[in-house]
Amino acid sequence: MTDVQSTDGKIASNKMGKTLIHEHIYVEFPGWRFDCKAPKFVRAEAMSRAVDKLQELQSYGCSTIVDPCPMDLGRDVEFVAEVAQRSGTRIICTTGVYTDETARMAVRWQPKEDLIDLYVKELTEGVQAAQANVHPAGLCDDTTCKVCVEQGAQLLAVGMRQGRAALV
């Protein structure tokens, strides 16, 4: 049995229950906050809506979601972790960047080696580890496991060599 790291800690994979694998809690496209016609983001309102929707989802038997929000589309692990805690839904965060050409400005000019280092850090220390104690859906639950760290680095390096960021 494999453990999976969620925003609320490790859970056994066989205890995840019904899981939706691609659900965004919060996404922010680059430049959205500068659009004067766009609705203004109000954190408390967004939090309330997200909690309500996840509790509604639970009424259909879903207890876990994977939020693949990439780092360059407004990923906010603290917000997601708070939504998980308030709603009672397990949320698994991932690492990666958005591959659409219009949204890659944050990483377009960075050396691939720097991006690989960033991905490996998120795999070993957690997604936005400085903000929240959140670890990505990973290869195993031991963040010191050299085999998994090396495999993760190799996976990411392959993705980078192919010219696209790999989501893990």
Side-chain angles (χ1 to χ4, degrees), residues 80-112:
V80 172
E82 187 175 340
V83 168
Q85 187 273 324
R86 288 184 181 198
S87 69
T89 302
R90 293 181 200 99
I91 302 176
I92 300 164
C93 295
T94 64
T95 188
V97 295
Y98 194 58
T99 59
D100 183 286
E101 289 301 317
T102 62
R104 292 179 48 200
M105 293 307 291
V107 296
R108 181 173 288 162
W109 308 116
Q110 293 185 32
K112 290 181 180 180

Side-chain angles (χ1 to χ4, degrees), residues 9 11 17 20 22 59 67 83 98 110 113 115 160:
I11 55 171
L20 296 180
H22 192 129
S59 73
D67 184 340
V83 168
Y98 194 58
Q110 293 185 32
E113 294 76 19
L115 293 174
M160 295 307 295

Side-chain angles (χ1 to χ4, degrees), residues 4 7 9 15 18 25 35 41-42 46 56 64 76 81 89 94 101 103 108-110 125-126 134 139 147 157 162 168:
V4 176
T7 56
K15 302 286 184 193
K18 190 180 288 184
I25 299 298
D35 182 349
F41 177 75
V42 179
E56 180 182 349
T64 306
D76 184 341
T89 302
T94 64
E101 289 301 317
R108 181 173 288 162
W109 308 116
Q110 293 185 32
E125 297 177 28
V134 178
L139 302 164
V147 172
Q162 292 177 352
V168 177

Side-chain angles (χ1 to χ4, degrees), residues 38-132:
K40 299 300 176 209
F41 177 75
V42 179
R43 188 180 194 282
E45 291 174 10
M47 177 69 62
S48 178
R49 256 190 329 272
V51 168
D52 289 348
K53 292 296 181 183
L54 287 177
Q55 288 175 337
E56 180 182 349
L57 186 63
Q58 287 176 6
S59 73
Y60 295 100
C62 182
S63 55
T64 306
I65 68 166
V66 177
D67 184 340
C69 189
M71 61 185 73
D72 55 336
L73 286 186
R75 180 179 68 188
D76 184 341
V77 177
E78 285 183 336
F79 182 82
V80 172
E82 187 175 340
V83 168
Q85 187 273 324
R86 288 184 181 198
S87 69
T89 302
R90 293 181 200 99
I91 302 176
I92 300 164
C93 295
T94 64
T95 188
V97 295
Y98 194 58
T99 59
D100 183 286
E101 289 301 317
T102 62
R104 292 179 48 200
M105 293 307 291
V107 296
R108 181 173 288 162
W109 308 116
Q110 293 185 32
K112 290 181 180 180
E113 294 76 19
D114 290 352
L115 293 174
I116 291 169
D117 289 345
L118 174 62
Y119 283 9
V120 170
K121 181 177 181 178
E122 288 197 343
L123 285 169
T124 58
E125 297 177 28
V127 176
Q128 290 183 341
Q131 290 188 12

